[in-house]
Structures are given as structure tokens and as C-alpha cells.
Amino acid sequence: YKRQAFGMADFLFALDRAADIMDEASIRRAVRSAYIYSRAYQHLAVTSFRKGETLWKVRPKGHYFTHMVDVMAASGRNPKSHHSFGEEDFIGRVVRICRSTHGATVMLRTLQRYMMFLGLKWHRSA
């Protein structure tokens, strides 16, 4: 677990410290850390599979991760400069809002609840 955690933490650290167009040292560090993460994850997946467990399933996002690293290495563009973390967080927020809404009124009630959420947020910040 430690190598996997170190690999991802150091990968994100390298991206956080780098500019939108990364220098060679930043690219090397990010690629090395991504490689450590991927290898450690694969090792955990193979080890658990051999034990008859499916704890570390390799998912399509892992495949996407390796492509993202390849594109970063070739182009020098920092993936954090064009990520979609905010959009994914927003989708999670909408799901939480509409989770307990009746199916027949889910569209209207979700919009109403989100508008109430925004109104409370703006009221508190004023």
C-alpha cells in the first residue's frame, strides 16, 4: 500500500508544483511517480487475484490514467491545467440533492432544492 500511496501522492505533488507547460524535471518526476503508482496497483491486483480475492480490480480509469501520463510526457502539458475535478464534484452534489426525490418529480424537485442550496449559500456569505 505504501508504494501505491507514495506514487499517487508524489505524482499529484509534482503536478501541483509544475506550471501549465511542464519543464523536463517536472515531467520526469511525474512520470516516475505515475509508474510507481501503476506498478504497485498492478502488483496488488495480481496478488489478491492469486489469493482468490478481487480487491484491486483494474478499471478503465487506470487505463485512462496511463494514457494521460503518456500525453503529458509527450506534450509537456500539465493535466491539472485542464482537469474536470470541479465537474465531477458538481455531479456528486447533484446526486446527493436528488437522492431522496420521487422519480415522478425528480427534475423539478432537484432544481428547486439546488436553488434553495444556492440561496442559503449566498445568504450566509453576505
Side-chain angles (χ1 to χ4, degrees):
Y1 303 113
K2 290 179 185 176
R3 288 186 60 78
Q4 180 190 9
F6 166 78
M8 182 53 75
D10 197 58
F11 174 74
L12 293 173
F13 179 78
L15 297 186
D16 284 341
R17 294 192 51 133
D20 288 347
I21 303 298
M22 300 170 70
D23 60 30
E24 288 299 318
S26 297
I27 293 170
R28 277 194 307 276
R29 182 175 184 171
V31 168
R32 180 182 57 83
S33 298
Y35 179 77
I36 289 169
Y37 166 77
S38 295
R39 292 289 301 206
Y41 196 96
Q42 289 171 6
H43 174 72
L44 290 170
V46 169
T47 302
S48 71
F49 181 76
R50 287 182 180 154
K51 292 179 182 178
E53 302 168 343
T54 54
L55 300 175
W56 298 93
K57 184 177 180 181
V58 177
R59 300 189 182 271
K61 285 187 179 186
H63 185 75
Y64 170 77
F65 178 75
T66 58
H67 281 294
M68 179 190 66
V69 171
D70 291 343
V71 169
M72 177 199 67
S75 70
R77 291 204 59 211
N78 189 336
K80 284 198 132 185
S81 66
H82 56 274
H83 62 74
S84 63
F85 297 144
E87 290 86 353
E88 290 180 13
D89 182 52
F90 179 74
I91 290 171
R93 216 172 267 168
V94 171
V95 167
R96 282 190 302 279
I97 290 171
C98 71
R99 186 172 292 148
S100 61
T101 308
H102 190 275
T105 60
V106 69
M107 290 173 57
L108 175 63
R109 295 293 181 230
T110 300
L111 290 173
Q112 288 173 335
R113 289 178 182 189
Y114 186 67
M115 289 173 62
M116 288 174 22
F117 165 77
L118 289 177
L120 286 171
K121 187 175 180 178
W122 289 332
H123 178 72
R124 289 180 186 151
S125 67

